[in-house]
């Protein structure tokens, strides 16, 4: 005890920066190798079970995936050397698993092959990842573009209104044979804006305002007004477009970021209450939403009516068929779910063919990704960075909860894409950008402070 | 702010826990219920994912599988479908299975646990063994002889090996091709509706599932009962029966189709099929004696399986003497399946012991390893060996110099009994022509075959001669095939 005290009392010479803050890039590389290996083995397995032979472009696939992973790794190594080593491997593994599942579903829907398209979008996603990590050297730069971000977000969200509805929702832009979901990008831009605005007005939000009663303070309208207006506008647009999932996501994002910035739980409670009332009203009077709530409450009603199982019932059948260990890749029948099997319901294939074991692993991967995002937020020192990391991590968490909860019957189903897993170009690209931003934020968080800052 | 970020992280962790708990609930707790939901197509998809095993006749498959590339993938094909339909039944994605396709379904579909030496391995590897095969006892030449003999007329043939109970032929006519029911879709639905609407009822298995009044063929049961009960001790002694015979307790007179039945002996009565003599003998045996005898031959047994279920043949157990008299000559409420009457002939041929008829010789794995053997079972003794010997003599006389001469085969000992069953209100229906018989090679070797033939649309000529005319030649053809080495 005394020896220890004596040691502490001694003036410690500052160690070299590298030894003090390990970069862990080697860990990242070996995890990446594991992730690529799992995806390639899955690819081979699907080929063997569905066609009986190793898929012909297997070597190209393996080389492509490894090349993409290596490119992303080099970008991190060169431009964000202190970044969290878990973020990139998790993204690669989830994206790779998604490709395997889509390839597997392609085998049972020969008229609608999407694995190749998804592979190209994934490549674009990785390219954007490299671009973001390479170009954006300091996340605080984004703070300057807060108002540009929100303007772009609103424009992006408004545009699909002028395009025809697909499956009952105005959330798509079809242009030159490509379909594109601008709302996906809007969520990053909105998170940037919320983070910047709340960081700038945090003090005012947290400390000012008239007391309504007891501890409940009315937030100053001058500060709260603009952000509330923007939030209402975006949710209004989404309701107009019948994009339930994204409006739920934006509401959750707004509440979480407001709470993180101000710490006022009373307002969260009121927000949730209002949201519940709104959700009840929409769920009762909007037929599109109403039918989904009915489906959720009684997924087998259509069977009792003699119309055969609906999508949710088919999804539950798929999860049930998986059991503990799953039917094995390529041995399931989740294509019975129908048209959204590769997008909204991709998790059902994972559940059926990989079982509870595989599904739990996938959900834990998401949990780890989110946890790493929060960890970066905790370690950062600037309010903008903290809020942005919290916002981005929450986006992933909420999205996983809403879609996974929907397809397993926990909450009413809302159309949304499972990050990285689901088929859908804009979703994959957006999630790669989210991971790129988290890499950048975690690099800032773990980077050793310059001497003068440490001294101050 | 650190504190609030932590709270957000805890909140997200809570969401994750909720997801994991719910997923576990769905995949473990609810899984069995979802799997059993009739709207869940998975069990059906899995069932048809692999080719079905084959049903074989003389070692050659009479079934096959076709890859339809549909959801319920492998569809059943049949070789000589109409010929073997009463044996195989159908296996349809839409309408399920029947007959052997049903009773051996677990083996054919590959779900029988006995198909794999290591069921646990298949459980773990998510695979399953290929469908097994079912080898039938049917002989192709006999089946074909029976089928061509009926020549599309409504009727049925059942042939069994007396010493073992093996069913050698099982024909129902008119027949249908079960292949038209394989698969799904409007074509199958249309075929099903057409077959069900057909007034000739081609899907009815007349050999196992239709019961007919056995008519005079039932006199074999009555005669055996009389000998066993001691009611008749000398088959050649006159029976002092008037012609016509007044039914006891009524003023109704029972006539004979031919002449020479007055005061005839039982031997003559069997040879010339005298209704009067046999009705009187039945009354003398009494209700108890007749019902016991009928039961020993297999009547009133609703549990017979070969392994397909066989309709119950009936002999009433509560009758007045006049009803008993009619029942003793195979009329009134007495009904029998063709298989039941083949069993009667087989019991006589087998020295009185009745063997349980069976249709599946053995089931094997797809590589030929045995799964189960068809076991020969005795249904007990229908009559004493002495009675059986006498009955054989009586039946031989029917063929040699009686009503059943059309069944005679040179170089073989053939015993038979004709029958013409009246039916319908006031006996208005076209009578059914019956012939039951057995045959053995000359020289004391055991009987090779026992046959029952029924032809529904017999010629309008009444009397026992129609059994001889319409049914006996078919029985002869089947017996000839049975006597030739397999």
């Amino acid at each position: 005890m005394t020896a220890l005290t004596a040691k502490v009392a001694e003036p410690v010479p500052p160690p070299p920066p590298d030894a003090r803050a390990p970069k862990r890039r080697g860990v990242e590389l070996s995890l990446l190798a594991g992730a690529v290996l799992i995806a390639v083995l899955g690819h081979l397995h699907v080929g063997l079970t569905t066609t009986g032979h190793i898929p012909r472009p297997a070597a190209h696939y393996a080389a492509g995936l490894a090349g993409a992973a290596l490119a992303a790794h080099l970008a991190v190594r060169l431009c964000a050397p202190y970044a969290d080593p878990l973020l990139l491997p998790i993204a690669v593994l989830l994206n790779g698993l998604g490709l395997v599942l889509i390839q597997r579903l392609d085998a049972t829907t020969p008229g609608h092959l999407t694995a190749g398209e998804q592979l190209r979008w994934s490549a674009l996603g990785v390219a954007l990842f490299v671009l973001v990590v390479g170009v954006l050297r300091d996340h605080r730069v984004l703070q300057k573009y807060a108002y540009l971000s929100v303007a772009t977000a609103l424009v992006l969200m408004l545009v699909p209104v002028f395009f025809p509805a697909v499956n009952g929702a105005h959330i798509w832009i079809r242009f030159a044979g490509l379909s594109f979901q601008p709302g996906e990008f809007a969520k990053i831009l909105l998170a940037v804006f919320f983070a910047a605005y709340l960081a700038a007005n945090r003090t005012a939000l947290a400390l000012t305002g008239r007391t309504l009663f007891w501890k409940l303070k009315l937030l100053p309208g001058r500060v709260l007004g603009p952000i509330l207006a923007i939030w209402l506008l975006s949710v209004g647009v989404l309701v107009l477009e019948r994009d339930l999932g994204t409006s739920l996501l934006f509401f959750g994002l707004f509440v979480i970021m407001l709470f993180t910035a101000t710490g006022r739980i009373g307002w969260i409670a009121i927000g949730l209450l209002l949201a519940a009332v709104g959700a009840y009203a929409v769920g009762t009077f909007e037929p599109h939403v109403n039918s989904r709530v009915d489906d959720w409450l009684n997924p087998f009603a259509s069977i009792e009516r003699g119309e055969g199982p609906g999508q949710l019932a088919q999804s539950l059948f798929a999860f049930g068929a998986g059991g503990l260990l799953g039917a094995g890749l390529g041995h399931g029948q989740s294509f019975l779910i129908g048209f959204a099997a590769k997008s909204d319901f991709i998790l059902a294939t994972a559940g059926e063919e990989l079982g509870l074991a595989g599904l739990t692993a996938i959900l834990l991967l998401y949990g780890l990704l989110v946890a790493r995002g929060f960890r970066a937020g905790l370690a950062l020192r600037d309010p903008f960075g903290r809020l942005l990391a919290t916002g981005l991590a929450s986006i992933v968490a909420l999205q996983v909860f809403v879609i996974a909860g929907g397809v397993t019957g926990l909450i009413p189903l809302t159309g949304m894409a499972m990050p990285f897993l689901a088929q859908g170009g804009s979703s994959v690209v957006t999630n790669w950008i989210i991971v790129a931003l988290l890499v950048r934020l975690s690099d800032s968080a773990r980077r050793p402070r310059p001497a003068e800052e440490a001294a101050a | 702010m650190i504190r609030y970020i932590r709270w957000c992280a805890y909140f997200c962790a809570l969401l994750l826990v909720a997801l994991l708990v719910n997923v576990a609930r769905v995949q473990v707790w609810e899984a069995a219920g979802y799997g059993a939901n009739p709207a869940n197509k998975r069990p059906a998809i899995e069932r048809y994912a692999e080719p079905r095993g084959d049903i074989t006749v003389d070692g050659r498959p009479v079934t096959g599988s076709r890859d339809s590339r549909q959801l319920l993938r492998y569809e059943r094909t049949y070789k000589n479908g109409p010929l073997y339909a009463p044996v195989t039944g159908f296996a349809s994605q839409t309408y399920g299975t029947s007959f052997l396709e049903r009773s051996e379904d677990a083996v054919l579909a590959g779900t029988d646990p006995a198909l794999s030496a290591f069921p646990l391995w298949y459980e773990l590897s998510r695979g399953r063994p290929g469908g097994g095969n079912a080898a039938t006892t049917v002989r192709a030449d006999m089946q074909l002889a029976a089928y061509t003999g009926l020549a599309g007329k409504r009727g049925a043939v059942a042939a069994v090996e007396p010493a073992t109970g093996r069913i050698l032929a099982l024909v129902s006519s008119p027949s249908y091709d079960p292949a038209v029911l394989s698969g799904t879709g409007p074509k199958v639905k249309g075929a099903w509706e057409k077959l069900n609407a057909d007034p000739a009822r081609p899907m009815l298995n007349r050999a196992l599932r239709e019961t007919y009044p056995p008519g005079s063929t039932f006199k074999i049961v009555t005669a055996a009962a009389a000998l066993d009960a001691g009611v008749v001790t000398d088959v050649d002694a006159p029976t002092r029966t008037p012609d016509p015979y007044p039914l006891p307790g009524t003023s109704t007179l029972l006539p004979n189709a031919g002449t020479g039945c007055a005061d005839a002996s039982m031997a003559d009565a069997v040879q010339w099929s005298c209704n009067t003599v046999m009705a009187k003998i039945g009354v003398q045996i009494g209700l108890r004696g007749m019902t016991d005898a009928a039961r020993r031959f297999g009547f009133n047994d609703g549990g017979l399986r070969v392994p397909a279920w066989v309709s119950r043949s009936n002999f009433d157990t509560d009758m007045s003497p006049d009803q008993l008299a009619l029942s003793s000559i195979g009329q009134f409420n007495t009904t029998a399946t063709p298989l039941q009457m083949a069993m009667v002939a087989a019991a006589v041929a087998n020295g009185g012991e009745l063997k349980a008829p069976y249709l599946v010789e053995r089931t094997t794995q797809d590589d030929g390893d045995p799964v189960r053997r068809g076991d020969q079972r005795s249904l007990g003794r229908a009559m004493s060996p002495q009675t059986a010997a006498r009955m054989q003599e009586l039946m031989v006389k029917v063929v040699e110099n009686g009503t059943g001469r059309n069944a005679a085969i040179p170089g073989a000992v053939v015993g038979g009994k004709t029958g013409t069953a009246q039916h319908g209100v006031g006996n208005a229906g076209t009578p059914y022509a019956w012939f039951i018989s057995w045959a053995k090679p000359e020289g004391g070797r055991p009987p090779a075959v026992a046959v029952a033939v029924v032809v529904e649309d017999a010629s309008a000529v009444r009397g026992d001669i129609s059994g001889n005319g319409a049914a006996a030649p078919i029985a002869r053809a089947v017996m000839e095939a049975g006597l030739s080495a397999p």
Side-chain angles (χ1 to χ4, degrees), chain A residues 144-232:
Chain A
K144 293 181 201 158
Y145 299 109
Y147 288 96
L148 184 64
S149 291
V150 75
T152 317
L154 288 176
V155 169
L156 279 176
M157 284 164 60
L158 265 170
V159 168
V161 176
F162 306 107
F163 284 79
V166 178
N167 301 329
H170 282 276
I171 51 177
W172 297 89
I173 297 178
R174 287 189 184 274
F175 182 73
L178 289 173
S179 54
F180 188 75
Q181 214 176 326
E184 289 280 347
F185 293 99
K187 68 191 176 195
I188 301 183
L189 296 171
L190 217 57
V192 169
F193 167 72
F194 283 159
Y197 186 88
L198 290 171
N201 298 287
R202 200 164 68 88
T203 326
L205 281 166
L207 302 175
T208 62
R210 282 172 298 155
T211 306
L212 213 57
F213 58 86
W214 193 45
K215 277 187 175 175
L216 196 59
K217 277 187 188 170
L218 191 66
L219 287 173
R222 187 174 44 82
V223 188
L224 188 66
I227 192 170
L228 201 62
I230 282 161
W231 173 67
L232 276 174

Side-chain angles (χ1 to χ4, degrees), chain A residues 5-15:
Chain A
T5 332
K7 222 173 196 174
V8 169
E10 260 177 54
V12 184

Side-chain angles (χ1 to χ4, degrees), chain A residues 243-293:
Chain A
D243 188 358
L244 266 179
T246 313
S247 48
L248 201 65
L249 177 68
F250 282 10
F251 172 76
L253 181 66
F254 175 71
V255 168
I256 283 183
M257 291 187 74
L258 193 63
F259 168 72
T260 312
T262 64
R264 295 196 178 188
I265 203 141
W267 283 104
I268 306 300
I270 288 176
L272 286 175
L273 200 71
L274 286 174
V277 171
Y280 179 79
V282 173
T284 315
F285 301 115
E286 226 287 326
H288 184 72
V289 183
N290 191 8
S291 71
R292 289 189 160 181
V293 174

